[in-house]
Amino acid sequence: GDSVTQMEGPVTLSEEAFLTINCTYTATGYPSLFWYVQYPGEGLQLLLKATKADDKGSNKGFEATYRKETTSFHLEKGSVQVSDSAVYFCALSDRLNQGGKLIFGQGTELSVKP
Amino acid sequence: NAGVTQTPKFQVLKTGQSMTLQCAQDMNHEYMSWYRQDPGMGLRLIHYSVGAGITDQGEVPNGYNVSRSTTEDFPLRLLSAAPSQTSVYFCASSPRGVTSGSTGELFFGEGSRLTVL
């Protein structure tokens, strides 16, 4: 079945460092891809998304490009801040959105030190 | 602008007790779902619903029951709590599929932390 694999955490960076969190997927058809962020003590909120190959999602300085040839959707940010400390989840959905179901990766905890 | 509301936020149960986690959304979304979050395992789908009166099982349905009598509400029932059900539970909703412009994004509640002793 469909699945999502993320790089393991926790990841610890200094402020202003470059961030990459790897995400690869296996899926039949053409899924939509998402990055969700969970700040401490809160629910998940959508960070960015891409719905077809070569689309680039971006928000709050984060970017990810939907790469069909490598089945990847890596999250990047050029300069992280302490406020970016959170858990990041990569997810995919069937492009027809049958039932509003997402398949999540295991999550990557990011800690940014001043 | 409430979105998805879950209650309670925290609950402690003893093994064998039953309880219901409440979930309500005010966005008129057709789809609703329940996930559990466990360390190192991401979020796993318990049950989902594509509309009032229609529910189906997800990846980890055992020990849980759901019903959907209205578009707004989607309660999750624990029939006989077990320590393995200690987790954080998230309810989510989304509009119907791509024909209505949806791209699969889910809107999440803030979560319910359940501890079973």
Side-chain angles (χ1 to χ4, degrees), chain B residues 74-113:
Chain B
F74 191 44
L76 178 73
R77 298 181 185 84
L78 279 71
L79 308 173
S80 177
S84 61
Q85 293 179 303
T86 294
S87 187
V88 181
Y89 292 85
F90 288 98
C91 180
S93 71
S94 70
R96 195 178 295 277
V98 293
T99 53
S100 65
S102 167
T103 55
E105 175 186 356
L106 296 186
F107 296 80
F108 283 88
E110 293 187 346
S112 298
R113 184 176 293 275

Side-chain angles (χ1 to χ4, degrees), chain A residues 36 38 49 95 97 100 102, chain B residues 31 35 37 98 102-103 106:
Chain A
Y36 279 82
Q38 184 182 30
K49 64 184 178 185
R95 194 159 185 275
N97 189 24
L102 291 185
Chain B
Y31 298 159
Y35 292 83
Q37 182 182 18
V98 293
S102 167
T103 55
L106 296 186

Side-chain angles (χ1 to χ4, degrees), chain A residues 32 34 36 38 41-46 49 51 87 89 93 95-107, chain B residues 31-33 35 37 40-43 45 48-50 90 94-98 102-110:
Chain A
S32 294
F34 305 85
Y36 279 82
Q38 184 182 30
E42 298 184 9
L44 280 73
Q45 53 186 278
L46 181 68
K49 64 184 178 185
T51 59
V87 181
F89 292 92
S93 78
R95 194 159 185 275
L96 295 178
N97 189 24
Q98 300 295 323
K101 299 173 286 182
L102 291 185
I103 295 172
F104 287 88
Q106 71 268 38
Chain B
Y31 298 159
M32 296 187 75
S33 50
Y35 292 83
Q37 182 182 18
M41 303 189 74
L43 277 77
L45 182 65
Y48 67 100
S49 169
V50 298
F90 288 98
S94 70
R96 195 178 295 277
V98 293
S102 167
T103 55
E105 175 186 356
L106 296 186
F107 296 80
F108 283 88
E110 293 187 346

Side-chain angles (χ1 to χ4, degrees), chain A residues 36-82:
Chain A
Y36 279 82
V37 59
Q38 184 182 30
Y39 298 105
E42 298 184 9
L44 280 73
Q45 53 186 278
L46 181 68
L47 180 60
L48 53 84
K49 64 184 178 185
T51 59
K52 60 183 186 296
D54 300 325
D55 267 3
K56 178 185 284 189
S58 62
N59 186 25
K60 300 180 181 180
F62 291 89
E63 292 183 339
T65 301
Y66 188 166
R67 301 286 189 199
K68 188 171 181 295
E69 64 276 12
T70 55
T71 62
S72 65
F73 192 55
H74 304 321
L75 182 69
E76 296 181 336
K77 187 175 186 183
S79 176
V80 294
Q81 306 301 312
V82 172

